[in-house]
Amino acid sequence: GTRGRFGVRYWYQHADRCIPHTRLQAFSSAQQLDASHRVMADWRYDRTQWGSTVRGGWTDERLDWYASADAENALSRARTLVGEAELRYRPEGTHTVDLGLHHTHAQASTDGYPHDPTQDRSALFALYRYRPGTRFTGTVSARQEWLDGTAVPFTGSIGAEYGVQRWLTLKAQAARVYRVPTFNDLYWNPGGNPT
């Protein structure tokens, strides 16, 4: 219809590379094979004062390194499933409120991990935007995330943007951020710290 839009996207990438030798090697027969599939679908529905978006995505990535004679092969695979829903509300022309929820499920398999870990991340987020004219925009955002069912520190930001001239815009932002550890941070052997 005129208010709704549905989209599906698919990307495939394949690379087969010969790895050059190091300064300590006379030659190298090492080879790296990369392959990835990425699928994304979204549905968007807009009305005068409100709109909604639902999106989902799936990735399957392989990175296989086949060693030269003096090293072992390293095979790895990662799969990620993502879902998100967002609701936008515009009660007046100068105000916009976005509310949403997000979930990511990730799984990895590699020789560098002692087992095949999984990770579930869920989040609730909100954004308020104030734009009284064409020059000034102010934003406030908040996000609460859970990692495998445990709440991580609350994050948020406040920002402003002001157009002085067509060629000059001033921007300012303050934020509290938190980085969730990656699988390598947690499980890579040696060096990972799962606690």
Side-chain angles (χ1 to χ4, degrees):
T2 57
R3 297 182 184 271
R5 185 186 72 198
F6 178 72
V8 178
R9 297 160 191 86
Y10 172 74
W11 297 267
Y12 173 70
Q13 179 179 343
H14 179 89
D16 192 355
R17 321 169 212 249
C18 294
I19 306 299
H21 61 83
T22 66
R23 292 180 148 188
L24 303 175
Q25 295 173 315
F27 69 96
S28 172
S29 60
Q31 187 177 3
Q32 182 174 310
L33 175 67
D34 300 338
S36 66
H37 299 271
R38 294 181 177 95
V39 180
M40 188 182 115
D42 65 329
W43 176 73
R44 183 177 181 138
Y45 185 76
D46 284 311
R47 295 186 61 112
T48 305
Q49 289 191 332
W50 65 272
S52 60
T53 304
V54 178
R55 27 178 114 78
W58 173 76
T59 64
D60 187 349
E61 299 177 294
R62 258 178 66 193
L63 193 154
D64 296 341
W65 186 73
Y66 298 98
S68 48
D70 57 347
E72 292 185 26
N73 296 339
L75 310 177
S76 63
R77 189 168 188 180
R79 294 182 189 95
T80 307
L81 183 62
V82 178
E84 187 171 89
E86 187 176 345
L87 179 66
R88 288 173 306 286
Y89 179 57
R90 295 178 287 270
E92 297 177 27
T94 59
H95 304 278
T96 305
V97 177
D98 288 2
L99 302 171
L101 47 100
H102 176 96
H103 183 78
T104 300
H105 174 79
Q107 178 184 11
S109 173
T110 181
D111 301 332
Y113 299 158
H115 61 289
D116 295 346
T118 61
Q119 189 178 76
D120 285 292
R121 293 172 61 177
S122 301
L124 293 173
F125 57 89
L127 170 73
Y128 169 72
R129 183 180 292 111
Y130 176 66
R131 186 170 182 150
T134 59
R135 291 188 171 217
F136 176 78
T137 302
T139 58
V140 177
S141 70
R143 183 179 181 97
Q144 178 60 61
E145 193 165 327
W146 292 266
L147 176 63
D148 292 326
T150 303
V152 302
F154 179 81
T155 60
S157 69
I158 184 167
E161 183 177 310
Y162 184 76
V164 180
Q165 297 288 330
R166 290 182 65 160
W167 52 271
L168 178 63
T169 301
L170 301 177
K171 296 182 181 184
Q173 184 178 31
R176 180 176 189 227
V177 297
Y178 177 81
R179 187 180 79 84
V180 173
T182 66
F183 280 151
N184 282 352
D185 293 336
L186 297 169
Y187 306 115
W188 190 259
N189 185 19
N193 184 4
T195 57

